[in-house]
Amino acid sequence: MKQRIYIADDEANIRFIISSFLKNEGYEVMDFENGDSLFDMFMKQPCDMVILDLMMQGTDGLSICMKLRERTNVPIIIVSARDSELDRITGITMGSDDYMVKPFSPVELVARVKALFRRVQMDQKSHQQEIYTYEDILINTAQRNVKIKDVPLVLTPTEFSLLTYLFQHSERAVSRAELLKNVWNFDFEADTRATDDIMKRLRKKLTLSDVLIESVWGFGFKLSKKETNENPK
Amino acid sequence: MKQRIYIADDEANIRFIISSFLKNEGYEVMDFENGDSLFDMFMKQPCDMVILDLMMQGTDGLSICMKLRERTNVPIIIVSARDSELDRITGITMGSDDYMVKPFSPVELVARVKALFRRVQMDQKSHQQEIYTYEDILINTAQRNVKIKDVPLVLTPTEFSLLTYLFQHSERAVSRAELLKNVWNFDFEADTRATDDIMKRLRKKLTLSDVLIESVWGFGFKLSKKETNENPK
DNA sequence: TTAAACTGGGGCAAAGTTGTGGCAGTTCTT
DNA sequence: AAGAACTGCCACAACTTTGCCCCAGTTTAA
C-alpha cells in the first residue's frame, strides 16, 4: 500500500521539486498551494504525512499544523525560509515532528521523510497484523493462529514458527541450516534432525490441506500445492 | 514514570550542558564518555531515548547507532560537529531519528527530544480510549471500574491494568514478555510467573462472564468468548 | 547393480509449560 | 497497632512438546 503525502507551499516550483523527489521514492503525493485547501482535503481524505510551508496565503502553516494536531497524529514536517532558533523551536513545539530550513536539499528531505515513516512503523509494529496465505492455509501471526479452509489448526510454538518461516519464503526452497539458524536460533553447525522431526509433525497436521511440504533432496524443504492429478509416471 | 535518556559525547562540558537542560525538564539522564559504555549499559538496562555524538573514542557514533537499531526501536538523536549534507543524510538513513549540528541550542535539543517522545506517544497510544468492551464486559478507564453485564466487578490495581491491556489488544495474542514490559514495566527478560498469577486471579473473577482468557501454549494469552455449544464432532 | 546416504513413521523419555493451592512479605486501611 | 488486601513466589501434578533412536523404504552416485 502506497503511503500518501500532502504538501502545501505557495511556490509552485518548490512543490514541483519536492513532489518529484517523493514520487520517485514511490510515495503518492498531492500538493496544495495553501494550507487551507490541504486541511480541507485532509478532513475529507486523511493522508500518511504532511509537509507544510510556514508562509502561505491564507492561514499560515503553523496554525494549520496546530489545527491538524488537534484532531490527528499524522506526522508533520515543516519547511520554512524562516531560520531563527525561535522559529524552529516554535514549529517543533507546536506539533510538527521536524523542521527544515529553506533552501534545503531534496535528498535530505526524502531521508527525513523516510526516517519519520520508519519511526511510526517501529512504534506501531507490535500492533501490526501480519497475515500470510498459501493455497488454502492462512496464518495470522498477531492472533497466532492458523486456519485451513477456515478451520482452526492447533500448532505448537516450534511448528508455528517453522510454518511461518516457510510461508515467509514460500517462493523458494529453504535449507535445514537456514531453518536451524532462523527458527531455532542455532548459530553453529549442528548435527541434528530436529527440522525433519517438526516437518514430520507439520505434514501430519497438514494432511487436510492442499499445501504440501516438499523435500528438496540433500538440501531442505519447499512449499508446494498438492497435485490431485500428478503427472502419471 | 520518568523517561530515561542516555547521552554519549566525549566532551564533558557538552554532556554537562545537555544533561542539565534535560534534567531540568524532568527527564532521568545518564551520560557516558563513549558509545561503547552507553551500548553496554543499554543492553543491561534499556532507556527511552539515546543521544549520540558522532566522533568519540572507541566505536564511532554511527556504528553504535546501527548496533542499537539492530536490536531496538529506541529513539535516537545524533548530535555532531560534522555538517555536510552527506553526513546528515547518512546519519538519518542509518537509523537515527534526528540529526543536529554542533554547536546547537540546548533549548532546540530539548524541543526536539520532546517532539520525538510526543511522536512515540502518539503512535503507541493513538488507539487509546476511555471505554473498552468485549462481549459482556465493559471497562471504563476514567472511572477505573469494570462491569460484567452491568454488575460492578472489583479488581485490584494490577488486575485492572492487565485486563485493560488485554482489552486494548483484544484482536491478538499477547506474550508474557510483552505483558511484563507494558504492565509491570520490567524492561529486561525476567524469569517470573507473575503474569500467570494475576491471570489465575482474573479468571476466577471472570467466571460469571462470557469472556475467557485463553492460554496460547508456549506464548502467552488471548481474549476470547466462552463457547457454550462447542462444535460437536 | 550395489552400497551409502537420506528420508519419514512410530515410539520414548527428558525437558518444558501451565493451573492450582498455599504462603509470606509488603502495603494499605481501619 | 492490628487486620485486611495485594502480590509475587513456591511446590506439585497434569499435561505438552520435542529431540532422538530405531528401522524400513527411497534416492543417489559409483
Side-chain angles (χ1 to χ4, degrees), chain A residues 156 158 184 192 197 201:
Chain A
T156 68
T158 316
W184 274 262
T192 172
D197 266 297
R201 286 160 181 144

Side-chain angles (χ1 to χ4, degrees), chain A residues 9 34 39 61 85 107 131 163 190 223:
Chain A
D9 197 308
N34 62 66
F39 184 83
E85 186 190 319
V107 182
I131 291 175
L163 191 64
L223 281 187

Side-chain angles (χ1 to χ4, degrees), chain A residues 123-135:
Chain A
D123 293 336
Q124 295 177 341
K125 193 180 69 179
S126 58
H127 310 303
Q128 257 179 26
Q129 307 216 31
E130 287 179 72
I131 291 175
Y132 302 96
T133 59
Y134 189 91
E135 291 297 312

Side-chain angles (χ1 to χ4, degrees), chain B residues 104-207:
Chain B
F104 54 80
S105 140
V107 183
E108 182 175 349
L109 175 65
V110 167
R112 287 186 180 265
V113 165
K114 281 189 182 174
L116 195 42
F117 274 133
R118 183 182 60 203
R119 162 59 41 207
V120 173
Q121 192 86 356
M122 286 190 290
D123 292 338
Q124 291 177 344
K125 314 273 162 130
S126 58
H127 43 48
Q128 262 197 15
Q129 308 158 218
E130 199 169 285
I131 291 177
Y132 297 93
T133 60
Y134 189 91
E135 291 299 310
D136 56 356
I137 291 189
L138 183 149
I139 299 183
N140 186 324
T141 55
Q143 295 175 223
R144 233 186 145 68
N145 63 18
V146 181
K147 287 183 176 174
I148 304 178
K149 301 189 228 288
D150 290 328
V151 181
L153 178 65
V154 179
L155 293 183
T156 69
T158 317
E159 285 165 6
F160 183 86
S161 307
L162 183 46
L163 191 63
T164 303
Y165 192 87
L166 284 182
F167 271 55
Q168 285 169 339
H169 303 93
S170 56
E171 77 291 349
R172 63 188 184 87
V174 295
S175 71
R176 289 186 173 73
E178 182 183 343
L179 290 172
L180 286 174
K181 183 166 188 290
N182 295 301
V183 179
W184 275 261
N185 288 317
F186 280 6
D187 286 328
F188 45 89
E189 198 72 21
D191 179 26
T192 172
R193 286 186 56 199
T195 48
D196 301 75
D197 270 299
I198 303 298
M199 288 296 177
K200 162 173 71 179
R201 286 155 185 149
L202 262 180
R203 281 171 170 154
K204 205 164 208 167
K205 292 187 177 178
L206 295 188
T207 40

